Amino acid sequence: MLATLSACAGPPGSFTAQVPTAGPIQQGEQVGVDPEDQFIRVIAREPRPGMSQVEVVQGFLDASASFDGDHKVARMYLTPKASLEWDTDGGVSVYGGAPSLTELGNSVVMTAGKAGSIASNGRFEVSGPTAELRTGFDLDRVDGEWRISTAPEGLILSQTDVDRAFRSFAVYFFNPEFDTLVPDPRMIPVIGSGLATTLVRDLVVGPSGWLRPAVRTGFPAGVTLNIDAVPIEAGIARVDLTANARQADDQTRQALSQQIVWTLRQLPDVQAVEITAGGQPLLVPGAPSPQPRDAWPSVDPNGLPAGSVGYAARPDGVVRLIPGGVRPVPGDAGSGELALIDIAVSNDSQSVAGIDTEGAVWEARMLDGSPLIRIREAGAPTGIAFDRSSVWVVDEEEGLVSVTSDGTSTPIPVSGLSKRTVLLAAIPSRDGTRAALIIRRGPRTGLLLARVIRSAGASTRIAVNEPIRVESRLVEVLDAAWSGADSLSVLGSESAGSVQVFEVSIARGSSTSQGSPEAPLTVGAAPGLPTLVGAADGLVYEFTSGLWVERVRGSSPAYPG
């Protein structure tokens, strides 16, 4: 595979830059962009005379990573008929490592470890650690040279190719309460223009099939792009919707504006968004035109109440982590009259719930004079977390239950887990649409992501279903916390490695190690705040400037959830 710098700065002095058309691999970073958005453009090698069948297939796989001219060079490895039939928009099969190519008559069979797949709408699906990608290529002679006669479905790319050419972007929808945006992550090729158009087009189409039942959209039925393009001129993205958008009420106009602005603000060259309908300005209450990129902070998917801090449990009560030290929380929870060994904090930082040494669950408002109230009798709880309106408890005998402040327990059905799988913890996202599940299957523990369905009616019923993989490297998982709207801090280990903190990207299915203090037990995380770890030595550590630093004596660190 050949790769070269996709853009070059002007040469100094008398130096002259020339773009090579042949030769060995030359790689470099694209200049003039944010470092996180740098990519390497692949300059594919055209077929050479006399190539064997295996060489043709390998050349095709390598050239598929070049998106130039609708994969012009890769099509040279196909017969004319196969080239016409090849639908490169049919999704991506992603493999890891080097593929094995075996010649069988006039066919070549490719086998490789399957890392995942990218659907045609950009949704990435992680494959299991033992998944295999196996596909066959039939070949015919064209003018005496071998060419592939059976076009594959979509693209077949290596994980390296995907890392090079794709970036993750979120298309934003709403939670059922319409008070928080929810990211629907998509993997989109960044080579070429049209990112703004692609994002808004995906927004108009609606959420991906997996997330759809859990979220809502502000786009009325029938409203689409009036012109299938979103140009960006002088930092202003211009979105022209069909004229029927003007029939929407004020609340709906506001909601669809929030989705559009938050989706487009991911692009660094977008400073504002102008929304029209049928070419006429779409008036949105409380918003100027164009709308600045930092408009609508109230629906921030990573939003936390101002002044949010971490918490920890200690024998002398629950404490709030403040700059330079700690402070007992107001009320009985901070008095130390009852020791809590595992705690969770509500999203508004007003309530704390915890499990005592006997397995009973308690809850208290963090206000002066507020008592600790036992909301669940002693049992065998393995996990506790705050949902938006109740406490979620996972019990060895009863499974997942929702417990309200008056002690009412309601089972939450969890479907989609394989047989002999035991649920250990369920941690709902702050927007309430998804839940991280820690499960045990045989001797191993693992991480899954499920969607949370809330039925409308006189009484809201909750169901957790369709669990999916979000990573494939961890073989043991002890704890997890939402570090962002589409990321998790996970305490686990790879293979025979030691337990440490991994930052897991839901969009890309990737996990990045952050190390950990010795013998970590629990993790706490929140957007924009330092990750916390409770360790076996009775200390809570904080991840600061790439180092784990002792923060306070205590356990079970938590952020508002």
Side-chain angles (χ1 to χ4, degrees), residues 353-412:
I355 302 170
D356 68 15
T357 56
E358 302 298 321
V361 179
W362 300 76
E363 184 180 359
R365 298 286 287 173
M366 290 188 284
L367 299 171
D368 289 333
S370 293
L372 268 168
I373 300 172
R374 184 165 57 188
I375 60 173
R376 185 172 173 83
E377 299 296 328
T382 58
I384 184 170
F386 259 99
D387 187 32
R388 293 173 69 85
S389 59
S390 64
V391 177
W392 283 16
V393 178
V394 176
D395 186 89
E396 286 184 359
E397 300 295 329
E398 299 181 49
L400 178 60
V401 296
S402 170
V403 187
T404 57
S405 56
D406 64 1
T408 302
S409 292
T410 305
I412 299 177

Side-chain angles (χ1 to χ4, degrees), residues 36 63 120 135 169 198 219 322 340 402 421-422 427 436 442 459 521 545:
E36 293 184 359
S120 57
T135 187
F169 294 92
T198 299
F219 279 78
I322 61 173
L340 301 176
S402 170
T421 296
V422 178
I427 306 101
S459 59
L521 299 175
S545 302

Side-chain angles (χ1 to χ4, degrees), residues 429-445:
S429 59
R430 291 180 176 87
D431 53 55
T433 63
R434 297 150 297 156
L437 307 182
I438 299 177
I439 53 98
R440 182 176 65 236
R441 186 181 300 117
R444 296 188 181 276
T445 54

Side-chain angles (χ1 to χ4, degrees), residues 232-405:
I232 302 172
E233 302 168 352
I236 300 176
R238 305 189 187 279
V239 180
D240 188 26
L241 304 175
T242 47
N244 54 344
R246 293 200 297 270
Q247 301 172 9
D249 59 25
D250 290 348
Q251 187 176 8
T252 299
R253 293 184 185 200
Q254 188 178 79
L256 68 84
S257 294
Q258 291 166 335
Q259 290 178 247
I260 292 173
V261 171
W262 271 91
T263 297
L264 289 178
R265 65 180 281 171
Q266 299 169 94
L267 305 181
D269 50 345
V270 173
Q271 301 303 313
V273 179
E274 181 182 70
I275 304 175
T276 56
Q280 300 299 315
L282 185 68
L283 300 179
V284 180
S289 183
Q291 301 176 38
R293 62 181 289 127
D294 58 357
W296 312 116
S298 63
V299 293
D300 186 348
N302 280 318
L304 283 174
S308 294
V309 297
Y311 297 79
R314 304 206 309 189
D316 57 352
V318 177
V319 295
R320 179 183 285 120
L321 308 185
I322 61 173
V326 299
R327 179 179 298 159
V329 302
D332 284 0
S335 68
E337 293 183 10
L338 177 68
L340 301 176
I341 59 174
D342 192 4
I343 64 169
V345 178
S346 64
N347 185 263
D348 61 5
S349 300
Q350 295 298 305
S351 298
V352 61
I355 302 170
D356 68 15
T357 56
E358 302 298 321
V361 179
W362 300 76
E363 184 180 359
R365 298 286 287 173
M366 290 188 284
L367 299 171
D368 289 333
S370 293
L372 268 168
I373 300 172
R374 184 165 57 188
I375 60 173
R376 185 172 173 83
E377 299 296 328
T382 58
I384 184 170
F386 259 99
D387 187 32
R388 293 173 69 85
S389 59
S390 64
V391 177
W392 283 16
V393 178
V394 176
D395 186 89
E396 286 184 359
E397 300 295 329
E398 299 181 49
L400 178 60
V401 296
S402 170
V403 187
T404 57
S405 56

Side-chain angles (χ1 to χ4, degrees), residues 113-194:
K114 187 173 183 180
S117 59
I118 304 174
S120 57
N121 66 359
R123 183 81 185 187
F124 185 79
E125 181 178 338
V126 177
S127 296
T130 61
E132 183 181 75
L133 175 62
R134 181 181 178 89
T135 187
F137 297 86
D138 295 329
L139 290 93
D140 286 337
R141 292 278 189 179
V142 176
D143 297 330
E145 300 291 344
W146 287 111
R147 293 295 181 263
I148 298 168
S149 60
T150 304
E153 182 177 351
L155 296 173
I156 301 174
L157 299 178
S158 70
Q159 183 67 66
T160 301
D161 292 333
V162 170
D163 291 342
R164 176 189 299 117
F166 286 72
R167 293 294 178 268
S168 61
F169 294 92
V171 181
Y172 286 101
F173 300 95
F174 274 101
N175 62 350
E177 296 81 9
F178 272 91
D179 59 17
T180 304
L181 288 170
V182 180
D184 190 358
R186 311 293 176 92
M187 295 289 288
I188 299 176
V190 293
I191 299 177
S193 58

